[in-house]
Amino acid sequence: MPSSTTFIEDLLAQMTLEEKIGQLNQMNGGPDLDPDLLRMGQVGSVILDAGPSDGPGSSEARRAEWANHLQRLALQARVPIPLLLARDVIHGFRTVFPIPLAQAAAFDPELSRAAAEMAAREATAAGIKWTFAPMLDIARDPRWGRIAEGNGEDPVLGARLAAALVHGFQGPDMSGPERLVACAKHFAGYGAAEGGRDYENAEISEPTLRDVYLPPFESAVRAGVGTVMCAFVDLNGIPATANRHLLTDILRGEWHFEGFVVSDWTSIPELVYHGVAEDEAHAAYLALHAGVDMDMAGMAYLNTLARSVREGRVPMEEVDAAVRRVLEVKRRAGLFERPFADPSRAARDVLTPEARQLARRFACQSMVLLKNEGNLLPLQGFRRILVAGPFLHARDELFGTWALDGRAEDVLPLDEALRQVAPEGVELWFADWADLALRRANEADAVVLLMGEHPTRSGENSNVSDLGLPPGQPEFIAAVAALGRPTVLVVFAGRPLAIAREVAQVQAVLYAWHPGIEGGAALGEILFGQASPGGRLPVTFPRATGQVPIYYNHKNSGRPLGPDRGFQSRYVDLPSSPLFPFGYGLTYTAFEYANLRLSGEVMRGRLEISADITNVGDRFGREVVQLYIRDRVGSLTRPVRELKDFQAVELRPGETRRVTFILREEQLAFTRADGTRGVEPGTFYVWVASDSQRGLRGEFRI
Ligand code: BGC
């Protein structure tokens, strides 16, 4: 790889102003993309579309040829500079893994890393070199459809997964032919959109921004993420796309980010709608000055920057700085040496048995068992099992949002997958219509209901005002439950749904999210006990939509939530507690926590905290052991609990393991009202716990 500075300075010295601005312009690569723009060096990056729909070879191979064709056009420019070819590879490519929120439920950074690595292998085989992932927006409002794309509500879990995903996509060196350049998005505060409506404004105090919303991004930067995408959101009155505080002061000044920032889709011209820019040229000026290096699909840079520079309204140095950053990422991505994809890789590297196996394991690990009365699951000793509900024949409905490159024909329909996994002697009856299901349920020994929301109900701009199951489903569940057969409710969804009534009506509830390409087999293995559900909730489950926002790391208030004691924080029509807390999840065995030990009463730099975890059930199982703290008194009010660490342990029946956490003083730091960050002396509670509401509690001082 050519060495950095001189190589880039040499290039820059050869480029005209127009060619420089071309590097800052990203366009959609559909068939209508004007080849002359590429030949003239007017495009720095192309978002690859699906490529030619017919022709010889697999679609991935054809897309790699298409990518190479675009690349050749770009390299015909006077100063040949390779394109960075991008696509949204969000949770898998052709092999679709569970949606990101489900992946977060696995609390397993290594699995997340492995899935991202697999996605990178597949996507690069189709000519893609840059993905717009990971999505790192903390979300406390499940009405917001994009909660499906992120890692839930917790900054520490989010930060751990951010690093894992960046490592998975980019590997140790993003120039590797099987590696993608990652993009941490959407910077920042996007998940706090008012009312859960996508693209709405957010008001977030600086301490909350820094302590809740930013940690996953900082973690991605530390992990070496190549690019960052700014958010659509208006944050505290300054749209993220024009927010110099975020994109320059924090991202570059404090975190020393060395990659480049891309806008979100047309978010630069949208500054006019936000009402901070007079016109397109003003919007381009504001964005560039804030620190947005590349204009995604907005054309504002291409249309206006050259003139603004010539008229002295935009400093040349700002253009040069942005171009340097873009060229540097291209250099680090190895594009100057290896601009072309190898179309022959597609046949080897796409949809391999290994990828499917990983997808199945991940799906099992991400499904969350919410209720299991009388150990109804795994289903044992039932001969005739009725399976019904709108997901009965699901194929690509299992993918969830943002699965642009998954194909329905790669997925075994859910009923077929269950049939293949069901043990011998079990008769599965499938009922397509509600009437038929009700009739047959009476004759069945047990009933499995496959309910939930279609993938188009979550994801970008797919927000809901009502977190209940879609119309008709609650009534159907109630009618089946009334028949009194042992009933399992399986919920497919891109968000936490408010299912308090349904949970009360049935004996077992399994939250399957949108589990991806192997979702059917994974579900079958869990229902029949070949695998155990491994997930824990990465987000709080509300009882009703009206409780939102509800999240575990809230402040205590002067009149804390609790059992009804008069004028306390509460609803008159609903308990204040969540339906299920963050971190919660059952499995097919049970664990006991005992013997909490702290290495001292006073923390001096660090503290060791440990507890014995015992598998008290009769099956092998995996427990996610969680470490929480509470800072009792602060100059700013502190959350009632904060996750600081977690570890998974796998235990045989009867086995006990001592799980030890090292808590370092800097993990207790928080941002104060004056913007300084630090640890304040005093008393802290600490819990080793199986979820955010339980656990063994200890105490220490600083
Ligand atoms: C989304 C981004 C996405 C981009 C490109 C935008 O609408 O907000 O998350 O990466 O489109 O597809």
Side-chain angles (χ1 to χ4, degrees):
M1 203 186 298
S3 81
S4 165
T5 329
T6 40
F7 174 73
I8 285 170
E9 292 311 315
D10 283 355
L11 266 182
L12 211 59
Q14 297 169 46
M15 294 164 79
T16 63
L17 176 59
E18 278 72 14
E19 286 163 347
K20 288 176 181 176
I21 293 166
Q23 285 304 303
L24 311 183
N25 178 40
Q26 182 181 55
M27 295 181 75
N28 204 34
D32 51 350
L33 177 64
D34 178 358
D36 282 339
L37 283 178
L38 296 173
R39 285 195 201 99
M40 285 155 50
Q42 292 299 280
V43 186
S45 169
V46 167
I47 303 184
L48 267 185
D49 76 352
S53 54
D54 43 42
S58 68
S59 67
E60 287 82 14
R62 284 200 302 276
R63 192 178 320 176
E65 304 273 15
W66 173 244
N68 287 346
H69 164 71
L70 297 175
Q71 200 64 284
R72 273 191 291 273
L73 291 173
L75 292 173
Q76 286 168 26
R78 196 185 66 85
V79 183
I81 297 175
L83 294 166
L84 192 48
L85 293 158
R87 189 155 171 92
D88 289 277
V89 182
I90 307 297
H91 50 110
F93 185 66
R94 179 85 176 263
T95 305
V96 180
F97 295 103
I99 54 167
L101 188 60
Q103 296 194 16
F107 277 76
D108 192 337
E110 173 48 29
L111 259 184
S112 294
R113 191 206 58 77
E117 182 175 49
M118 190 63 84
R121 182 177 309 159
E122 292 192 346
T124 49
I128 295 154
K129 189 61 197 174
W130 181 21
T131 176
F132 301 130
M135 195 275 216
L136 302 177
D137 295 306
I138 296 290
R140 293 172 157 184
D141 187 338
R143 293 174 298 179
W144 189 54
R146 300 200 82 168
I147 195 170
E149 294 176 56
N151 296 313
E153 73 187 26
D154 184 70
V156 167
L157 176 62
R160 287 270 285 273
L161 294 175
L165 290 162
V166 170
H167 289 141
F169 287 126
Q170 296 189 171
D173 174 359
M174 60 187 179
S175 74
E178 298 185 359
R179 301 300 190 172
L180 289 170
V181 178
C183 181
K185 72 184 189 186
H186 307 84
F187 195 60
Y190 187 39
E194 277 178 10
R197 290 185 306 279
D198 209 1
Y199 318 132
E200 278 295 343
N201 312 335
E203 293 275 345
I204 309 175
S205 75
E206 189 75 12
T208 301
L209 180 70
R210 287 181 177 269
D211 293 350
V212 177
Y213 289 89
L214 297 191
F217 290 96
E218 186 174 2
S219 167
V221 170
R222 283 190 200 292
V225 72
T227 66
V228 166
M229 186 189 296
C230 67
F232 287 124
V233 74
D234 167 348
L235 177 65
N236 300 334
I238 304 183
T241 305
N243 201 314
R244 195 171 157 89
H245 174 58
L246 273 180
L247 303 179
T248 296
D249 300 346
I250 296 180
L251 186 63
R252 278 144 180 156
E254 295 178 27
W255 300 348
H256 311 296
F257 172 63
E258 286 179 348
F260 73 81
V261 174
V262 62
S263 77
D264 203 344
W265 189 277
T266 64
S267 73
I268 296 176
E270 284 168 25
L271 292 174
V272 175
Y273 292 110
H274 278 291
V276 292
E278 203 63 57
D279 54 23
E280 193 187 25
H282 188 201
Y285 159 76
L286 286 176
L288 185 73
H289 182 64
V292 180
D293 303 306
M294 187 178 277
D295 175 357
M296 182 194 287
M299 300 298 278
Y301 283 1
L302 202 68
N303 291 343
T304 68
L305 276 185
R307 182 157 174 209
S308 297
V309 169
R310 291 207 169 93
E311 290 175 357
R313 276 177 286 122
V314 165
M316 190 63 214
E317 301 78 68
E318 286 190 1
V319 173
D320 281 342
V323 178
R324 275 193 193 95
R325 294 184 192 120
V326 170
L327 294 179
E328 175 61 13
V329 169
K330 290 186 173 184
R331 189 194 67 83
R332 281 169 54 205
L335 285 170
F336 288 100
E337 294 165 325
R338 212 181 309 107
F340 298 110
D342 169 7
S344 76
R345 267 189 53 214
R348 274 197 315 278
D349 287 345
V350 175
L351 206 62
T352 59
E354 185 195 354
R356 278 192 180 272
Q357 205 185 6
L358 181 63
R360 189 180 301 192
R361 213 171 105 224
F362 214 167
C364 290
Q365 192 88 303
S366 67
M367 293 187 188
V368 187
L369 183 61
L370 296 176
K371 178 178 181 182
N372 198 16
E373 209 174 275
N375 290 331
L376 175 58
L377 286 176
L379 294 168
Q380 274 162 352
F382 299 107
R383 210 164 58 75
R384 294 162 307 186
I385 301 174
L386 176 73
V387 186
F391 277 76
L392 185 57
H393 308 293
R395 300 181 88 154
D396 54 349
E397 294 87 346
L398 300 177
F399 288 165
T401 185
W402 278 120
L404 302 178
D405 298 288
R407 306 251 198 88
E409 67 262 29
D410 296 338
V411 192
L412 207 54
L414 194 47
D415 48 352
E416 190 46 42
L418 295 183
R419 209 197 303 273
Q420 289 192 4
V421 179
E424 230 169 284
V426 168
E427 248 176 70
L428 290 181
W429 299 347
F430 298 114
D432 271 321
W433 311 291
D435 288 358
L436 179 66
L438 287 172
R439 216 167 343 113
R440 300 213 72 186
N442 260 326
E443 301 146 34
D445 302 323
V447 181
V448 175
L449 296 178
L450 307 174
M451 315 302 278
E453 53 177 15
H454 191 270
T456 52
R457 223 165 161 268
S458 59
E460 186 170 351
N461 204 22
S462 298
N463 320 303
V464 295
S465 66
D466 181 349
L467 290 169
L469 284 160
Q473 295 191 25
E475 294 77 2
F476 178 58
I477 295 168
V480 172
L483 299 174
R485 315 314 285 169
T487 302
V488 180
L489 171 63
V490 179
V491 182
F492 296 91
R495 59 163 59 80
L497 291 171
I499 49 172
R501 197 167 301 152
E502 294 76 21
V503 168
Q505 286 164 344
V506 300
Q507 287 71 45
V509 181
L510 181 70
Y511 218 77
W513 313 101
H514 289 131
I517 188 169
E518 288 288 312
L523 176 65
E525 289 184 358
I526 287 179
L527 290 177
F528 298 112
Q530 287 107 297
S532 298
R536 304 292 188 274
L537 297 179
V539 57
T540 302
F541 270 47
R543 294 174 189 275
T545 313
Q547 270 184 320
V548 165
I550 181 170
Y551 46 92
Y552 86 95
N553 46 357
H554 62 89
K555 305 292 186 73
N556 203 37
S557 90
R559 296 186 173 192
L561 290 169
D564 187 7
R565 275 183 262 109
F567 287 88
Q568 306 282 94
S569 167
R570 62 157 185 169
Y571 297 103
V572 290
D573 59 349
L574 197 74
S576 307
S577 59
L579 181 60
F580 298 109
F582 174 87
Y584 171 84
L586 307 170
T587 186
Y588 290 161
T589 186
F591 300 95
E592 251 174 40
Y593 287 56
N595 306 324
L596 177 71
R597 226 168 22 226
L598 276 62
S599 59
E601 285 170 15
V602 181
M603 176 187 265
R604 293 198 175 78
R606 50 178 277 186
L607 202 67
E608 255 180 55
I609 299 143
S610 61
D612 286 332
I613 316 297
T614 304
N615 181 345
V616 293
D618 52 13
R619 289 174 66 111
F620 179 86
R622 172 181 182 267
E623 171 72 335
V624 178
V625 185
Q626 301 157 39
L627 181 77
Y628 293 93
I629 65 112
R630 174 169 179 182
D631 186 347
R632 294 278 290 112
V633 178
S635 61
L636 272 192
T637 53
R638 309 308 311 135
V640 295
R641 275 206 194 193
E642 294 173 79
L643 182 76
K644 289 295 166 189
D645 204 351
F646 57 90
Q647 270 180 50
V649 278
E650 295 190 334
L651 298 175
R652 293 186 309 275
E655 189 182 350
T656 298
R657 180 107 35 95
R658 190 140 199 96
V659 170
T660 304
F661 294 99
I662 312 278
L663 185 65
R664 284 168 288 103
E665 190 172 310
E666 60 263 29
Q667 289 173 277
L668 304 174
F670 65 91
T671 306
R672 291 175 284 226
D674 63 2
T676 60
R677 195 178 157 75
V679 183
E680 296 184 352
T683 308
F684 294 77
Y685 290 149
V686 61
W687 291 263
V688 173
S690 56
D691 67 48
S692 59
Q693 281 188 345
R694 290 187 293 172
L696 304 173
R697 195 182 88 181
E699 210 177 300
F700 65 90
R701 291 192 316 280
I702 290 195

